[in-house]
């Protein structure tokens, strides 16, 4: 079982993302997985499935870099 940090990047203009949300919402166990303290969700309301528009691509990159930096800071603080 994986128990590390998880970043959920959710596109808004995306049927697959809606199907994923429906699937996850259908089970209490899966809902807990989405809302666990170790998980972070970032929504991109106008993005398509592949974040293909330049602004969406940059927003996903920025969100990912920011999340990775927070994970690294958290990891470093536990090593002190």
């Amino acid at each position: 079982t994986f128990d590390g940090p998880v970043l959920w990047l959710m596109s808004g203009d995306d049927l697959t993302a809606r199907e994923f949300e429906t699937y996850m919402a259908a089970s209490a166990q899966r809902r807990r997985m989405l809302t666990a303290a170790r998980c972070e969700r970032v929504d991109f309301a106008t993005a398509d499935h592949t974040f293909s528009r330049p602004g969406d691509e940059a927003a996903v990159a920025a969100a990912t870099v920011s999340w990775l930096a927070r994970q690294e800071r958290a990891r470093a603080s536990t090593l002190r």
Side-chain angles (χ1 to χ4, degrees):
T1 302
F2 178 74
D3 62 355
V6 176
L7 175 63
W8 303 96
L9 301 170
M10 302 298 293
S11 49
D13 186 16
D14 178 5
L15 179 59
T16 303
R18 299 300 71 76
E19 290 172 339
F20 173 78
E21 289 175 329
T22 300
Y23 171 78
M24 295 301 281
S27 158
Q29 181 179 9
R30 291 188 298 255
R31 284 192 303 275
R32 282 191 302 275
M33 190 184 333
L34 280 176
T35 58
R38 66 187 180 85
C39 297
E40 181 176 333
R41 175 178 170 154
V42 182
D43 291 291
F44 301 88
T46 61
D48 62 19
H49 184 73
T50 59
F51 301 93
S52 63
R53 293 191 264 313
D56 296 333
E57 182 179 322
V60 159
T64 302
V65 167
S66 176
W67 181 81
L68 288 169
R70 286 192 305 280
Q71 300 312 306
E72 180 58 25
R73 283 192 302 274
R75 186 183 73 77
S77 71
T78 63
L79 297 175
R80 293 182 192 162

